[in-house]
Amino acid sequence: MAPTATAPSSQEDPNLSEVGHYVVTAHPSGAVMTAVKCSFLSPDSVDVAIAKSTRLEIRQFIQPTADNDDDDDDNDSTEQLPLLLTLPINGRITTLTSIKFKHSKKDCLFFTTERGDYALISYDETLARMNMTGTAATTANAASANPRSSAFIGEHYPVKTHASGAFTSYSTSVMAGGRQAECGPLMAVDPLQRCVALHVYDGYVTVIPINKDYDINTNVTKGLTTGPFKDAYHARIEERTLLSMAFLETSIDYLPQLSLMHQDARGFQHVITHGVDVKAKGLVFLGSIQKEKEPSDSSSKMPAMKMPPKHDRLKISRIDGGSATLIPIPPPPSRNSSKLGGVVILGQRQVTYHSTAEGITRVVPIAPSILLSYCPVMENDGNATPNVLRFLVGDEKGKIHLLTVLRNITPEGNGDGRVTTLHFDTLGSASASSALVYLGRGRVFVGSQFGDSQLVKILETPVPVSGGGNDEKKSALDQNTYLRILEEYTNLGPIVDFDLRPCINSASSDSASRGKVHGEVGELGKARDQHRQSLVVTASGVAKDGTVRLVRNGVGMREHAAVEMTGIKGMWGLRRKFSHDDDAFLVQSFVTETRILGVQNAKDADVDAMEKEGDTDDDSEPEGGVLAEVRIPGFKSMKPTLFAGNVMVGSFDLLLQVVDDAIRLVDSETLEMVTEWTAFSGDGDDDSDDDGVPSMITVASANESGQIVVALRGGTLLYFEVNCDGSPKLQRLGVVCLDREISCINLNPFNSLTPSASESGMDIGGDRVAKKSAMVAIGLWDDFSVCLLSLRGNLINPILGQILRINLAPGGDDGNGGFSETETEHNPDDLAGSASQHMMARSLCLVTLDSLASSNNAFVNKKLSTPAMSNKVDMLLVGLGDGK
């Protein structure tokens, strides 16, 4: 018996059984992991590099001038820390620092990720200029045309990667996937830029020597140990649980001194210091003696570095429990003092300064708290008082403290320079900080993982806490603050819980209630509610920074460019040809003139600029367009424009301009005027009844089919059409005098009905069609109503005869085109209310809305597919204003 063929089941086809997923980030991460102050974008800029999970943000501090740098700057709307650059990183950033090479004026950024990878990047101004001129798009197109090309594909970021790699690649003693550091990763940079130390794996310190002679402007050589870094290595340490580490500030004669804060098996915490011998690729431990070695490179002119004397090496045992941060303090400036600095230890109950070389330990008790972050306070000019060192410290409650270290130095510069006193003062409260960056002029960036990040200002005198009230139980420090919040940056995380709530308004509730009587309407309302957007309610933040937030994902608008231009009364976009999709001109109407901006090809604009400069190099071919001021000869530039648009009548492709004394038609090819109608002479009017009304045009509107309606001063309305017999000319078809001045006109054609191709002039091929309007909507001054006038003369309604008059007052429309005489009670919350007599129509728009344009529900489409229930609705949108 022959075997029978069976249809393949869905289980046999992986494409049928696989479930498709679409995952997208609705809101990027706002939690600040770490931040560093640097000059990344330019040598003189004050930038803040902020690590936010898998993104690296660069913000630039706009330093206030001396004139507006006062305490009362709440009314200053200028953003002081704008976001200039955002870089996606392939991994979660854990540590971040800045490195400056000898031959560079800008800083490079060195960061690591939680997977044990690292990278060194710098800002590339050449790539930034390429992105601005469109060369990046050209490169991307070339790469897509040739998949094997080495050109970059996709968006170009203006950064250059100088080095990248993984820590597991430097030694076979550390296996891939080894045990990560319990309190890591930790990173420290030698103050003299000699090496970088990292604690990534338990029992090891990874040392990356820095090549100070590296030039960041040279070509990048990809590799693990070439370029800006020398051969890295892993050094074994005996201290297991490292809590913090920092390089001490020493002289150039000593090896880099790495101080480690660690915790032993009994829970006691200690600080110990080891030397980092880069040449020997190892550590010189505290109790060991450094062996004298001849330099391997006989041509090296650098003197051999040595360890400090054994009795000067920093060490302290059994420090305050709960300590977690080391702050290096530079050595005294006196020549007779030690060349080895000390450290400040931030604990939970006290702050301690210790220097073994000086034999000094200073302690200041503090209220029990967990100190999370710190930053030095130093102005951007580099000037600092030698006898005072200041640090900002943030705790888990969001309080910002000022730590002051006083030295024994007189104003004349005398004294041994030893630390004499520590002061710990509270300035105020902000978000619980995970990173603090002092920007200068009293501005501080407070980065937070637990709430919104902030830009705060340190005040010279305290001010009362807003919303705090006078509570006798509160201390004076709790009722006053030295901090003022200038800006806040949203952070939705950490989100501890969330829920989805539908956005149901009263209108949907009413439709649902009416659906009990009318079944189809009720089913339609349910179908629409299924597609209604949901609202996400999140429980965000921790402790005092906890908030409940409402998040809704939708379409937003982002400003890409802004130019201040005062006096603009109106703007219109014009296409060079009626069939074009993109606008070529932007007509701007000012109080006394008209200016036109034209879109020019970026290549042509670049060639023009090079010809002016005498440079004719054609190597680069930028794409895109730029806006430049142009002139249309047929337009009146010394008059304000009331309306401008494209007109297509027959085979004539025209541009239209209406000014206060004329209507002009311009050939779109030559940009020269074809015909003109003047309000004073009536030129171009073919009507036998030549009234020649000598008045100014106040309002105008037109559409692409050549229908033009203008209002003259005194309430006269004129209707024109462009006649294409032979040559284009303006023909007046109707005139009507109204009892009030006309405030607004709209001539947009409805699209609800589908006329035949011969009636509408529709191109079956789907090209752009100029449709005629059957009516015009007008609004009158000092009249809370809108009139619809006919543009098709017949026995019932002549041209510009009234079809409908809509009273916008509550209960004012009787449904027959007139006014209702009965006074109806209205809700005092209604829009018009008792003040409707002063309202009037200031703008109009005739539009056809498609209720199913964005719906893909099969039930709704089926129910509304019959002619009796058309989904297209003609509407008149009215913009109201005060007519007093």
Side-chain angles (χ1 to χ4, degrees):
M1 183 176 180
T4 59
T6 59
S9 62
S10 61
Q11 297 179 354
E12 298 176 359
D13 190 353
N15 296 327
L16 297 178
S17 60
E18 183 180 358
V19 179
H21 293 82
Y22 177 71
V23 180
V24 65
T25 300
H27 190 279
S29 175
V32 175
M33 311 301 294
T34 182
V36 62
K37 178 182 175 181
C38 57
S39 296
F40 183 72
L41 300 178
S42 64
D44 299 328
S45 64
V46 180
D47 306 321
V48 181
I50 306 171
K52 294 184 177 181
S53 185
T54 59
R55 292 187 306 124
L56 185 62
E57 290 185 356
I58 307 297
R59 292 181 177 269
Q60 190 172 89
F61 175 53
I62 307 300
Q63 300 192 34
T65 60
D67 296 335
N68 59 5
D69 188 20
D70 52 7
D71 292 344
D72 191 12
D73 54 356
D74 292 338
N75 298 327
D76 188 7
S77 58
T78 304
E79 190 176 3
Q80 299 187 27
L81 198 64
L83 176 63
L84 298 186
L85 184 62
T86 301
L87 302 174
I89 305 299
N90 186 19
R92 296 181 183 273
I93 302 174
T94 53
T95 59
L96 176 68
T97 189
S98 62
I99 298 176
K100 178 175 287 187
F101 293 92
K102 182 171 59 176
H103 299 291
S104 173
K105 297 181 180 180
K106 297 187 299 182
D107 292 331
C108 297
L109 291 179
F110 179 78
F111 60 88
T112 63
T113 65
E114 65 179 0
R115 294 183 179 180
D117 299 328
Y118 74 89
L120 179 71
I121 63 174
S122 68
Y123 182 72
D124 194 330
E125 296 180 356
T126 304
L127 283 177
R129 287 193 297 267
M130 290 170 59
N131 290 340
M132 294 297 293
T133 57
T135 309
T138 305
T139 307
N141 293 334
S144 61
N146 184 11
R148 297 184 180 182
S149 173
S150 61
F152 293 99
I153 299 178
E155 184 177 0
H156 285 60
Y157 294 97
V159 294
K160 181 188 292 185
T161 303
H162 298 274
S164 62
F167 301 124
T168 56
S169 304
Y170 290 118
S171 175
T172 57
S173 60
V174 179
M175 300 298 179
R179 194 173 110 176
Q180 301 286 333
E182 181 178 352
C183 298
L186 304 174
M187 180 170 61
V189 181
D190 177 44
L192 299 178
Q193 304 284 305
R194 291 175 289 184
C195 62
V196 179
L198 301 107
H199 178 56
V200 182
Y201 304 100
D202 271 344
Y204 290 92
V205 169
T206 304
V207 180
I208 305 180
I210 298 176
N211 182 9
K212 293 190 294 184
D213 295 329
Y214 176 75
D215 188 0
I216 65 173
N217 297 320
T218 58
N219 294 329
V220 179
T221 303
K222 293 185 178 180
L224 294 176
T225 59
T226 59
F229 297 135
K230 300 179 181 179
D231 292 340
Y233 60 92
H234 297 287
R236 186 78 180 182
I237 57 175
E238 298 178 356
E239 297 78 19
R240 287 285 180 175
T241 306
L242 292 189
L243 304 177
S244 178
M245 66 180 186
F247 277 101
L248 298 181
E249 297 199 22
T250 64
S251 66
I252 192 65
D253 301 332
Y254 290 154
L255 290 173
Q257 299 296 303
L258 182 62
S259 291
L260 306 177
M261 179 192 297
H262 65 97
Q263 182 172 301
D264 59 20
R266 293 178 293 178
F268 297 112
Q269 296 177 359
H270 317 276
V271 176
I272 194 171
T273 303
H274 303 311
V276 179
D277 194 343
V278 175
K279 292 184 178 180
K281 293 187 177 182
L283 297 181
V284 180
F285 295 106
L286 179 68
S288 61
I289 301 176
Q290 184 186 15
K291 297 180 180 180
E292 298 291 339
K293 293 183 179 181
E294 294 292 335
S296 58
D297 188 3
S298 59
S299 62
S300 176
K301 299 180 180 180
M302 294 294 295
M305 291 180 291
K306 59 182 180 180
M307 284 290 292
K310 197 170 183 180
H311 59 275
D312 288 348
R313 302 175 189 179
L314 191 144
K315 179 182 179 181
I316 181 173
S317 300
R318 294 198 178 187
I319 59 178
D320 177 31
S323 300
T325 305
L326 293 176
I327 302 177
I329 301 298
S334 176
R335 297 181 180 179
N336 300 326
S337 60
S338 172
K339 297 181 181 180
L340 189 64
V343 293
V344 168
I345 306 170
L346 301 181
Q348 293 186 1
R349 302 178 186 85
Q350 66 184 28
V351 175
T352 305
Y353 169 79
H354 176 76
S355 174
T356 304
E358 300 175 8
I360 295 176
T361 300
R362 298 286 185 263
V363 177
V364 56
I366 61 174
S369 59
I370 301 176
L371 304 180
L372 302 176
S373 58
Y374 82 94
C375 72
V377 178
M378 183 176 295
E379 296 298 334
N380 300 321
D381 53 9
N383 296 329
T385 306
N387 63 331
V388 179
L389 298 176
R390 293 184 175 90
F391 300 89
L392 292 176
V393 182
D395 63 16
E396 87 284 2
K397 297 179 181 178
K399 293 184 178 181
I400 305 297
H401 311 276
L402 180 63
L403 173 63
T404 306
V405 180
L406 299 180
R407 294 177 179 272
N408 182 23
I409 300 178
T410 63
E412 293 78 13
N414 300 324
D416 56 5
R418 297 189 176 189
V419 175
T420 58
T421 310
L422 299 179
H423 291 284
F424 195 80
D425 304 311
T426 302
L427 300 180
S429 295
S431 298
S433 60
S434 57
L436 289 176
V437 178
Y438 183 78
L439 303 174
R441 297 289 187 89
R443 273 69 173 180
V444 182
F445 173 74
V446 182
S448 177
Q449 298 184 33
F450 316 108
D452 293 342
S453 299
Q454 297 169 335
L455 177 65
V456 302
K457 179 181 178 181
I458 302 177
L459 306 178
E460 296 181 358
T461 57
V463 296
V465 176
S466 60
N470 294 327
D471 191 353
E472 296 180 355
K473 297 182 180 180
K474 292 184 178 181
S475 63
L477 293 177
D478 295 332
Q479 296 181 7
N480 298 280
T481 180
Y482 286 87
L483 302 179
R484 172 178 292 160
I485 299 176
L486 301 180
E487 298 175 9
E488 288 189 315
Y489 313 100
T490 303
N491 175 25
L492 295 180
I495 301 176
V496 297
D497 195 9
F498 74 96
D499 192 11
L500 291 176
R501 305 297 298 172
C503 300
I504 300 179
N505 52 20
S506 59
S508 61
S509 303
D510 295 341
S511 63
S513 62
R514 289 193 300 267
K516 297 179 181 179
V517 181
H518 305 285
E520 292 184 350
V521 177
E523 294 178 355
L524 176 61
K526 293 179 181 179
R528 289 176 177 174
D529 286 341
Q530 291 177 358
H531 295 276
R532 192 176 300 276
Q533 193 178 38
S534 296
L535 192 71
V536 180
V537 183
T538 66
S540 303
V542 176
K544 79 175 191 65
D545 297 323
T547 56
V548 175
R549 309 202 179 199
L550 307 179
V551 183
R552 182 168 57 189
N553 191 23
V555 178
M557 298 182 67
R558 177 179 297 176
E559 182 181 288
H560 288 276
V563 179
E564 286 192 16
M565 301 183 70
T566 59
I568 294 181
K569 307 295 290 184
M571 289 193 299
W572 298 267
L574 299 180
R575 304 182 299 277
R576 183 59 188 266
K577 293 291 186 181
F578 181 81
S579 58
H580 290 177
D581 294 329
D582 298 326
D583 292 335
F585 302 107
L586 178 63
V587 181
Q588 299 173 317
S589 177
F590 293 84
V591 178
T592 59
E593 63 178 342
T594 296
R595 297 178 185 175
I596 303 173
L597 298 179
V599 179
Q600 294 183 352
N601 187 277
K603 179 180 178 181
D604 297 338
D606 188 56
V607 170
D608 294 340
M610 289 190 297
E611 288 179 352
K612 293 180 180 180
E613 297 175 0
D615 186 5
T616 58
D617 187 9
D618 296 329
D619 293 340
S620 62
E621 296 183 359
E623 291 186 354
V626 295
L627 279 177
E629 189 166 355
V630 297
R631 181 176 176 268
I632 298 179
F635 276 22
K636 279 190 174 183
S637 59
M638 302 306 294
K639 291 278 188 179
T641 298
L642 300 178
F643 184 86
N646 289 86
V647 173
M648 186 68 183
V649 180
S651 60
F652 295 100
D653 196 342
L654 306 170
L655 303 179
L656 170 67
Q657 183 195 27
V658 182
V659 293
D660 57 1
D661 61 351
I663 303 175
R664 287 192 160 206
L665 291 178
V666 177
D667 191 327
S668 63
E669 182 69 26
T670 64
L671 299 181
E672 296 291 341
M673 188 184 71
V674 176
T675 185
E676 179 184 25
W677 178 89
T678 305
F680 294 96
S681 62
D683 295 338
D685 185 2
D686 293 339
D687 191 82
S688 58
D689 184 14
D690 189 1
D691 297 327
V693 182
S695 184
M696 304 291 290
I697 301 175
T698 57
V699 188
S701 181
N703 57 31
E704 296 177 340
S705 67
Q707 294 176 301
I708 306 169
V709 176
V710 299
L712 304 182
R713 187 176 299 167
T716 302
L717 190 70
L718 301 179
Y719 170 45
F720 296 86
E721 281 193 4
V722 179
N723 194 335
C724 58
D725 295 338
S727 61
K729 56 184 178 181
L730 292 167
Q731 180 181 4
R732 195 181 76 186
L733 299 182
V735 58
V736 65
C737 293
L738 304 176
D739 56 349
R740 289 180 175 88
E741 291 279 357
I742 298 173
S743 61
C744 50
I745 307 175
N746 188 262
L747 204 58
N748 189 49
F750 282 136
N751 193 28
S752 58
L753 302 178
T754 306
S756 61
S758 60
E759 180 184 354
S760 63
M762 182 180 298
D763 189 352
I764 305 301
D767 294 336
R768 186 185 298 273
V769 178
K771 297 182 179 180
K772 284 192 173 184
S773 176
M775 63 184 70
V776 58
I778 64 170
L780 303 177
W781 283 96
D782 301 329
D783 189 359
F784 200 46
S785 63
V786 175
C787 296
L788 299 181
L789 306 183
S790 175
L791 297 180
R792 295 178 180 177
N794 51 43
L795 297 177
I796 301 177
N797 286 319
I799 294 180
L800 297 183
Q802 180 174 302
I803 301 175
L804 181 65
R805 187 167 188 174
I806 305 172
N807 186 8
L808 302 178
D813 187 13
D814 61 0
N816 298 319
F819 291 100
S820 175
E821 298 295 337
T822 59
E823 295 184 1
T824 59
E825 296 182 358
H826 60 271
N827 192 327
D829 294 333
D830 289 340
L831 175 63
S834 60
S836 63
Q837 57 181 340
H838 299 299
M839 300 297 290
M840 52 173 284
R842 301 302 297 268
S843 61
L844 300 172
C845 182
L846 295 167
V847 65
T848 299
L849 299 182
D850 191 348
S851 61
L852 298 183
S854 60
S855 176
N856 57 356
N857 187 276
F859 169 78
V860 177
N861 291 335
K862 180 179 179 181
K863 288 294 182 180
L864 297 182
S865 60
T866 61
M869 298 182 62
S870 175
N871 58 310
K872 294 183 178 181
V873 181
D874 295 334
M875 301 189 69
L876 172 63
L877 306 181
V878 183
L880 301 179
D882 193 348
K884 292 189 290 184

